[in-house]
Amino acid sequence: MDILSAYPAWLITHGAALLVVLPLLLGAITAILPRERLAWIVTLIVTLICTAAAFGLLLTIFGGETQLYKMGGWDPPHGISYVIDGLNTPVLLLISAMAVLCTIYGLPSVAAEVEPKKRAPFYGAFLIGVAGLLGMVATGDAFNVFVFLEVSSISTYVLVAMGASRDRRALTAAYRYLILGSIGATFFVIGVGFLYMETGTLNMADMARILSDLGGGSRAALIGFGFIIIGLGLKLAMFPLHMWLPGAYAYAPSFVTVFLASTATKAALYLMLRFTFTVFDPSFEYVGTVLTYVIISMAVLGMLLASLQAIFQTDARRTLAFSSIAQVGYMLLGVGIGTAASLSAGYLHLINHAIIKGALFFAVGAFWYRYGITRVEDFRGLSKMMPWTMGAFTIGGLSLIGVPFTAGFVSKYNLASAAASNGWWWAVGVIMATSVLAIIYIGRILLIAYFQDPPEVDGKVVAKKEAPLMMLIPMWGLAILSVVIGLNAYWMDRAADGAAQVLLLGVGG
Amino acid sequence: MIDMILSNPGFIIILAGVVCALLPVSQIRKAILLIAPIFAGYMIYTATKDMEAARFAVSVGGQELTLMRMDRLAMIWGYVFCLAGVLNAIYGFHEKCKITDSSALIYMGAAVSGVFAGDFLTLFIFWEMAAISSVMLVWKGGEKSFPAGIRYLAIHVLSGVLLLAGAVMYGRANGGDFTFGYVGLENPGGCLLLIAMGIKCGFPFLHNWIQDAYPKASITGTVILSAFTTKLALYALARAFPGTDLLIYIGAIMTCFPVFFAVIENDLRRVLSYSLNNQLGFMVCGIGLGSELAMNGVAAHLAADVIFKGLLFMSMGAVMFRTGTAKASELGGLFRSMPYTTIFCLIGAGSIAAFPLLSAFVTKSMIITAALYEHEWIVLAMLLFASAGVMEHSGIKVPYFTFFSHDSGKRVKEAPVNMLVAMGLASILCIFFAWPWGGYQFLYSLLPNPEVHYSPYTGNHVVTQMQLLFAAMFAFALLKRIGVYPDEKRAEILDFDWTYRRLGKNIAIWIDAMWTRLSANVGRLRKRFIDSASDKIYHMFSPAGALSSAAPSGLPAVLTGSMLVLTLFVIYLSRL
Amino acid sequence: MTPHVILRVVSKFLIPLIALFAFYVQFHGDYGPGGGFQAGVILAASVILYALIFGLDEAKKAIPPSWVRIGMTLGVLVYGGTGVITWLLGAEYLNYSVLAEKSYNGQHYGILLVELGVLLAVASVMLAIFYAFGSREPDLSDEDW
Amino acid sequence: MAKHENAPANDEDIHPLSRKLLFLGDHKFIDNFIWLPIIGLVITVMAGFIYPFPEGYAAPWDFFASWAILGFIAYSFVVLSAGPLFKLLARDESYYGEGGDDD
């Protein structure tokens, strides 16, 4: 790898720890920085370094090596180890790259939505949240996962609540998110406790080994599994456990909404994959049963009902939020089917959806930034008032629907063919049906934006006012990326197939 | 990338459409609108020289997509579409509308690309693209066209989804081979494909979008729409289901039932839409027959139909452009002010009615003869009945009520020059395609099976056809004279779309009302239950005192708990 | 002044002892029960007791909120910085063995540093929470929503 | 009998080409139009004897003037069915709530 040789060696060898430690420490410093611009620069630099490190790690993964980083030099199972393998590295890159884009976007957006005094702490909380997400993805220790889950969650509660200066309802939304998030984290830690009881270790690889020696374990492991699935299900907004999500997405600052939508639920989904497939094993009958009956039925219910709910929302952000819940259903369907192809498709959809939803929420944030609108009916004439932003929104929307030559098509097609090759034609039908529903809820917005004239104020048509460049860059970056993936998904497929390999073969520390 | 664009003539047209969307100058757009189909036609011509070399495939996401596949069946469709594109460009020259121009090009390009698509996935892409781009043309028809456009789009997206589902099923059953070729009804995917194509082709009970959307589109929009969508579907049928017996009967029914609607319909553009459906029936029937002669007849009749149906729509468009209406009850006597349009319309009407020396005479007869050779007597009778019906609604009714009949007193200017040129060209083509000395031979040389010999100008053919037409004219004159020929009355004629525009809507409204009532009752019950159970619990769960309005955190927490119980229960069951 | 005179006198005598005990727990944590978490809480408790007896404003004069904020960050930085130092010395994150020539001593220094960071952070966070709740403004009126 | 009963009040409105075609609106022409198909029918039915279908290529109902009879019956059936069908299917133009007028 040519690019890899340009990397300093320490960035790769210590990359796993660096990814977590750097934003965590600098997040603490950023919080007390006196000037918001300074805080922004620090945030940008930190996230850029993380992205570079994650990219380097991904290259080593493509080079065929996995990495085990021992914290404090203690060997696993006793010490905490960080594992870098094909499953988590793409997610690491996704989180850090989205953090960079959000930071760029944040320069105008945070200035508009957060009180001046709170902006530096805002960036600090954001960095700590990034550190938490990266930590829970990188670590190979079950309890460490919980710690970082809490780190990221607490900082996200704060971030959501910061939307209060724009809309007071952010406070209740943050409160609900806090209550439910805590329930989720508690369930998770209870589950980990049961697992510790069963196996006597917290290291995931060790747990997996012991569990498979025990043939799935006794009742403690069973109950632990149930708790972990529900805890993580709450975090990733699995269908009936999604109730915290629409409020949190709708009232948080736009910056936070994008970041939450494209990373937080994805990291939780990664954890669900990690636990069900590498710590536990689908060949244990209870895991297989839960996948087939609970996960898939919830996935399908979520896809249908949340899509329907999305159609009836009046607020564009709530529409997109419900659409996110539906899209989580697609990913869970991929998980539930459990073949290599379906896992790969679900994983690919995880990444693609992060990109698509990122672009969409960026655009919606820009609409608010310029005209203060969030309701769908106020979108009229936006194609003329903000053509570029609306263009990015359109590409994102088409991709969400799954129009050919967009990222959404690739993953939906892969998922449908995986379901079909498993003989699950009804699942193909559900995918088709929800795509039609997606056409309705996205099409409704597009129709208003393109076919209605801009509103008039005092007899004059509202002036054209494009979003600032700092908002357009990340937005279009994601929109173009989703088309590029639609045209050539080679690297994406490779990453997703690698992840599916890890899940099925259990490669890793 | 560039060789990909140059591989398929349709891509050039689509590209031209995208360019048009950005061009502010109307004249340049019109030039592009004219040149793009001519250039595409030239590309088809060069590609026919070496049909194998023209093939072009790319691999997308591990799936091979054949973007270009040339053979004689595709060739004639490609030529016809390009020809229609040129005529439409001339016809719409007076109109300065960016959306119409670019969507017309993209729509035409999608249709051409679809014709040259070599596999079902590629076909699906252009199938949907044609639907989405053409709905813009419907929407350009004014306020009233918007709901019709939505219905049009919904039906076409449904057709596309069915096509994709059918293609995937077919491809799976076929070992991952998505080649767009003969499918047949042996596997379930084939049935889905047939329904998808049937929707777009206007099979009985699936046909309503044609009569719903086409008359509501803009003047140029209707002309453009009439040329491509249904013809693309017909191509797909000819490719995938030639010789499928079911299609013979579907086609025969399709020729007959629109006749009855056309005769009572007042809106002449809608009459022509029914007539379009009826002509498609002949071709579907031909595809069902599937013999070499029948397939030739289908291709030839397609070429003739695109021209004469376009001509008829153009003349009605010109009338509407000048008078503002296309309702038979409002028109009449217009030959006094629009003589050229009258002549062109009569040529179109004669062509569709299959007078000798006009195009349908040399094309429709191939299909009828094929039915005769196959000894499908009932079908033959239905086709002949439909031929008499065509004479009524397109051959007599449309020109009679517009240009003759009682004088409406409307005195308008003759159609604009560009419209006259387009109609004139189409009229010349109508005559040329049936010209006994070199005309029809040229058309026949382009057909898929050139080795099949058929000569239309035999004594018995001319004589029997003239008998039929004269008898129809005699009946018309007789009925008119004894006063039983019905006058046109303004009305909305119910068709199968009643089921979803009225019945479906009412059912939805009823369900909605019932749902409101039900939820009110349930809400009352729930409230009473909670009240009687315990006010304390009620207040505990809802500090604000409103459980329904702002659902408190308690409900999700309870849900979480129940999910856990459910999961544990499933786990417990799995151990039994 | 008068109603609380006994409380004030006794607490003035006790608060330094509590603080001292905090540090005992802190250093004892090296080889016995105790450590940064407990010590931090005890240390914070001494300040909280002061605030309870003499009032929040007095406490804020003694330990200003800005100190508390800096203390939180500093605590994290001392903890994390130790790890960064081990990085710079070429070992894994938080591998104390490299802090001194003998790995035994290195482990010793490392754990002390880390515990100090924990003490700072925990004490500051406790105080921050106390200050935040103690100086809470009245409820928002309905109009402000 | 007025020469042009339907002639417009203002003759200048008529297209120059149409002046030559005005006989088409004439009552005499309309009344005598029926002779055109009658003559045509007679000629083509006669010609049917000269050009019969070749053996084996005729429909089973093929007999003297069969196409003409079929055409007449079919056409009359279609036109006469219009009355009852209209009664059955016609509704007010605002039936679907979209109004019937062109803009």
Side-chain angles (χ1 to χ4, degrees), chain B residues 520-561:
Chain B
N521 283 331
V522 169
R524 204 158 44 228
L525 269 180
R526 188 178 59 192
K527 205 169 181 182
R528 194 185 298 159
F529 173 73
I530 290 171
D531 282 356
S532 62
S534 166
D535 273 352
K536 273 186 185 171
I537 292 173
Y538 180 71
H539 284 297
M540 195 167 72
F541 276 112
S542 119
L547 182 71
S548 47
S549 62
S553 309
L555 178 65
V558 170
L559 261 178
T560 314

Side-chain angles (χ1 to χ4, degrees), chain B residues 18 20 248:
Chain B
V18 174
C20 268
I248 303 177

Side-chain angles (χ1 to χ4, degrees), chain A residues 14 17-18 21 25 28-29 32 69-74 168 171-172, chain C residues 69 73 76-77 80-81 84 87 91-95 107 140 144-145:
Chain A
H14 291 294
L18 187 86
V21 171
L25 289 185
I29 296 174
I32 55 162
Y69 189 86
K70 298 170 209 157
M71 278 288 167
W74 299 95
R168 301 295 292 186
L171 292 176
T172 42
Chain C
R69 274 214 302 280
T73 312
V76 175
L77 285 185
V84 175
W87 251 348
E92 287 100 336
Y93 190 71
L94 289 180
N95 190 349
Q107 294 284 358
L140 286 165
D144 288 348
W145 276 81

